[in-house]
Amino acid sequence: MIKIENLYKSFGSLEVLKNISLTVRQGEVVCIIGPSGSGKSTLLRCLNGLEDITRGRIFIDGKPIDVRKNNPDVGMVFQRFNLFPHMTVLENVAFAPVKVRKLSNKEAVEQALALLEKVGLLDKKDEYPSNLSGGQQQRVAIARALAMKPRIILFDEPTSALDPELVSEVLEVMKTLAAEGMTMLVVTHEMGFAREVANRVVFMDKGEIIEEGTPHNIFEKPVQERTKAFLEKILK
Amino acid sequence: MTDRMARIVEILIDSFVPMLKAGLTFTVPLAIISFLLGLVLAFIVATIRVLNIKCLNPIVRFYVWIIRGTPLLVQLFIIFYGLPSIGITLDALTAAMIGFTLNVGAYSSETIRAAMMSVSKGQWEAAHALGLTKNQTLIYIIIPQAVKVAIPPLANSFISLVKDTSLAAVVTVRELFQTAQIITARTYEPLWLYMEAALIYLMFCTILTLVQSKMEMKFTKNLAH
């Protein structure tokens, strides 16, 4: 349902994405791994209009996307959560559906309460984000993204900014989403998650896709030298 | 000596009410109205610059450049003494108000613009990812957060403005400072009378500073971190 064809992206003279072609099918969980600077986050950001592209085409459900327009069918969860600090947890989750999907206040709140319960934070609904731990904030961020009923959610290193003991609560929520059939594209360093949950793993380095395959193939039987070198460093 | 001191005390007592009255009738209202109007102007200018509205951006940048690059005193003179020669005659109070409003508009627009820019880029990105338009993001997400950042410097500007209204005296507005001048001309005790005027300014500004502290405490409760 997402098709990326020969995508090139440069920042000025710096080429960060080279000839990226990738397909993500509905219900798939695709994890993108790779060293810093490999372009993983940039690739994600090209998919929802946060970056424009230099060359190439992106199709969502067969239709080419307008790269500067935002698409509420594509949700995103950020490394630094980016919750709205001046709104309560409940307001954060209920806000966009009212303004963008034109839900009534009542419907949006009902939906928000259900989503907060799903991520285990119903009791925090009237708190402000600054009173929550990182893991809790990220779970609220996931609920906020889900409130827009997206067709696919992009996760940009969702647990990288969290203290280690808070990582698993977020990964649990993501596993539940995956099991429910959400299409997910996840940039992550959590190899355990990728192994367990991903349908496919994509290894990127220096702006290119070096190798992709099932978690088993990538982690147990990597073919490319660069993949092997990276995994060796990470999995030590 | 005591005769002179008795006379000074009498002058100070007699002049206090007229000066306070001038302060309350002109200084404070002039400052408040000019500031509020100026804030509206500043807000519009800041929004144009932050959203980078192509056709209006050069105009507002020119306006900010001119006002920030010329003395307030000269601006007031141009408006009150200069405009009549091209057919625009304004009364003193209106001229003063226009001058102060334009001044506040330019300086505060930079404060507001900086406050809007200080809201982290991640807020724009999260709003974008949720499908909000740029205008919705600005109104509901950015500005509420920018307001909290902008209040201390804006309160500062307002307190400064209260003192700058003394310049209205040179375009013949009978505010606090001008009143002090008039009484001095009559009684020849400049030191005491101008100190008394200073004291009244100090009173106003101290009260305003206390109000500012209260407002800051109220507004900064829920900033991130």
Side-chain angles (χ1 to χ4, degrees), chain B residues 138-149:
Chain B
L138 201 56
I139 296 174
Y140 295 106
I141 309 296
I142 305 297
I143 286 172
Q145 296 182 58
V147 163
K148 293 169 190 183
V149 173

Side-chain angles (χ1 to χ4, degrees), chain A:
Chain A
M1 83 171 251
I2 289 196
K3 190 157 184 271
I4 304 169
E5 254 179 30
N6 307 110
L7 182 63
Y8 288 80
K9 162 80 186 158
S10 301
F11 287 107
S13 56
L14 181 65
E15 200 171 29
V16 289
L17 290 176
K18 300 177 194 158
N19 205 5
I20 302 284
S21 291
L22 184 65
T23 312
V24 180
R25 284 171 282 275
Q26 183 143 5
E28 257 199 312
V29 175
V30 176
C31 283
I32 306 182
I33 63 174
S36 304
S38 52
K40 320 190 288 291
S41 289
T42 310
L43 176 58
L44 232 54
R45 292 160 63 89
C46 287
L47 294 176
N48 70 350
L50 285 177
E51 305 285 356
D52 49 29
I53 61 184
T54 312
R55 240 194 314 162
R57 294 194 294 178
I58 302 176
F59 299 88
I60 297 189
D61 283 335
K63 284 177 286 197
I65 65 171
D66 179 349
V67 284
R68 261 303 168 182
K69 268 223 184 93
N70 52 0
N71 187 348
D73 285 334
V74 178
M76 188 153 182
V77 174
F78 298 85
Q79 182 173 352
R80 298 202 178 272
F81 336 133
N82 290 337
L83 293 180
F84 304 135
H86 58 297
M87 297 184 185
T88 62
V89 162
L90 182 60
E91 286 164 352
N92 258 277
V93 181
F95 181 70
V98 171
K99 294 291 172 204
V100 182
R101 297 268 193 225
K102 311 287 186 212
L103 256 58
S104 73
N105 250 328
K106 187 162 171 287
E107 290 170 321
V109 168
E110 267 171 26
Q111 184 186 244
L113 292 173
L115 287 171
L116 285 173
E117 169 137 47
K118 186 192 176 98
V119 302
L121 287 170
L122 190 55
D123 57 337
K124 300 280 186 198
K125 66 180 171 65
D126 294 319
E127 296 281 350
Y128 284 91
S130 53
N131 289 338
L132 302 180
S133 74
Q136 292 169 327
Q137 289 189 52
Q138 194 61 299
R139 286 188 277 152
V140 174
I142 295 177
R144 184 178 64 169
L146 286 172
M148 292 297 292
K149 293 205 164 51
R151 311 268 321 277
I152 171 170
I153 302 188
L154 309 172
F155 290 82
D156 189 358
E157 301 202 35
T159 57
S160 294
L162 297 175
D163 291 334
E165 67 269 19
L166 300 173
V167 169
S168 58
E169 65 192 57
V170 174
L171 293 182
E172 281 307 312
V173 171
M174 289 170 67
K175 280 188 210 168
T176 311
L177 281 185
E180 290 171 356
M182 174 64 73
T183 315
M184 294 161 67
L185 191 50
V186 185
V187 170
T188 185
H189 293 297
E190 293 289 329
M191 300 305 159
F193 176 81
R195 257 203 178 116
E196 235 191 285
V197 185
N199 300 109
R200 249 191 312 148
V201 174
V202 173
F203 173 68
M204 277 181 73
D205 189 14
K206 299 208 180 53
E208 298 175 290
I209 293 181
I210 307 295
E211 200 170 339
E212 62 171 294
T214 64
H216 179 78
N217 284 344
I218 294 290
F219 289 115
E220 313 303 336
K221 302 185 275 177
V223 170
Q224 301 290 334
E225 278 313 308
R226 279 199 268 178
T227 319
K228 291 186 197 167
F230 174 73
L231 288 174
E232 212 150 292
K233 263 193 285 187
I234 287 278
L235 297 174
K236 265 235 160 80

Side-chain angles (χ1 to χ4, degrees), chain B:
Chain B
M1 259 329 261
T2 16
D3 255 352
R4 176 138 186 269
M5 274 173 60
R7 183 173 174 263
I8 290 174
V9 170
E10 196 189 335
I11 291 172
L12 287 178
I13 294 175
D14 283 342
S15 58
F16 186 73
V17 169
M19 282 210 260
L20 185 62
K21 195 163 164 235
L24 292 173
T25 327
F26 287 104
T27 302
V28 173
L30 190 52
I32 291 178
I33 297 175
S34 305
F35 193 69
L36 290 176
L37 292 176
L39 270 189
V40 171
L41 186 54
F43 194 73
I44 296 173
V45 170
T47 306
I48 292 174
R49 294 202 55 189
V50 168
L51 288 182
N52 203 359
I53 300 177
K54 297 276 162 65
C55 40
L56 295 174
N57 209 351
I59 301 175
V60 299
R61 289 183 65 175
F62 178 75
Y63 154 66
V64 172
W65 174 63
I66 291 271
I67 299 290
R68 294 209 308 170
T70 52
L72 178 52
L73 187 52
V74 173
Q75 293 164 16
L76 288 172
F77 263 62
I78 291 177
I79 296 172
F80 184 67
Y81 293 112
L83 286 184
S85 65
I86 56 167
I88 307 176
T89 311
L90 301 159
D91 70 279
L93 200 53
T94 310
M97 217 179 292
I98 292 177
F100 291 132
T101 301
L102 289 177
N103 203 273
V104 169
Y107 283 97
S108 296
S109 78
E110 285 296 283
T111 303
I112 295 176
R113 188 175 72 92
M116 288 188 194
M117 312 271 284
S118 78
V119 178
S120 80
K121 196 159 161 256
Q123 294 290 298
W124 287 96
E125 296 188 349
H128 176 98
L130 289 169
L132 295 165
T133 64
K134 274 207 149 75
N135 287 339
Q136 287 173 324
T137 309
L138 201 56
I139 296 174
Y140 295 106
I141 309 296
I142 305 297
I143 286 172
Q145 296 182 58
V147 163
K148 293 169 190 183
V149 173
I151 285 185
L154 285 179
N156 249 8
S157 298
F158 178 59
I159 294 174
S160 274
L161 181 64
V162 169
K163 294 175 288 172
D164 284 343
T165 56
S166 54
L167 286 175
V170 299
V171 294
T172 77
V173 177
R174 281 262 203 126
E175 41 66 72
L176 170 51
F177 175 60
Q178 169 83 271
T179 307
Q181 279 185 304
I182 292 169
I183 300 177
T184 303
R186 242 192 309 125
T187 60
Y188 305 99
E189 291 292 352
L191 176 63
W192 300 100
L193 285 163
Y194 289 132
M195 274 179 34
E196 188 177 30
L199 188 67
I200 298 179
Y201 278 112
L202 189 57
M203 263 171 50
F204 288 153
C205 292
T206 306
I207 294 175
L208 290 171
T209 309
L210 288 172
V211 172
Q212 173 190 352
S213 305
K214 282 224 151 126
M215 276 180 72
E216 273 185 49
M217 283 201 295
K218 182 170 174 247
F219 274 91
T220 56
K221 265 190 310 196
N222 297 315
L223 275 184
H225 313 313

